[in-house]
Amino acid sequence: MNKTFFIEMTKRTTIVLPDVVYEDLQIWADEEGRATANLVAFLVEQAVRAKFPSKYPPGYRRLEASDRQT
């Protein structure tokens, strides 16, 4: 049986944004109750998944803390 395993590893990067874009990201993140960096990471990941859909399994999503059962 051939299985594909996806190992989640994180990498850091730095981006430069216009002030107005960063300010809007801060507003958006605040509205969602999350850190700006967390929102940006989510948005970038979604864009990459949309660009390369065959590389990522359909229905795959990262388990958020609020989704975990206690």
Side-chain angles (χ1 to χ4, degrees):
M1 183 184 308
N2 187 6
K3 290 185 179 181
T4 303
F5 294 93
F6 293 90
I7 300 171
E8 284 195 39
M9 298 179 71
T10 59
K11 301 287 184 202
R12 292 183 181 266
T13 190
T14 301
I15 62 170
V16 178
L17 300 169
D19 288 343
V20 68
V21 171
Y22 184 79
E23 290 166 4
D24 286 341
L25 284 168
Q26 284 183 308
I27 292 168
W28 186 353
D30 288 344
E31 288 173 353
E32 294 191 6
R34 63 199 302 175
T36 305
N38 178 269
L39 174 63
V40 172
F42 171 78
L43 295 172
V44 169
E45 183 176 340
Q46 293 304 305
V48 171
R49 288 177 181 281
K51 174 70 176 171
F52 303 103
S54 64
K55 189 172 182 180
Y56 300 95
Y60 172 85
R61 68 184 186 96
R62 183 173 296 160
L63 185 64
E64 298 292 333
S66 60
D67 295 335
R68 294 187 181 124
Q69 295 182 4
T70 55

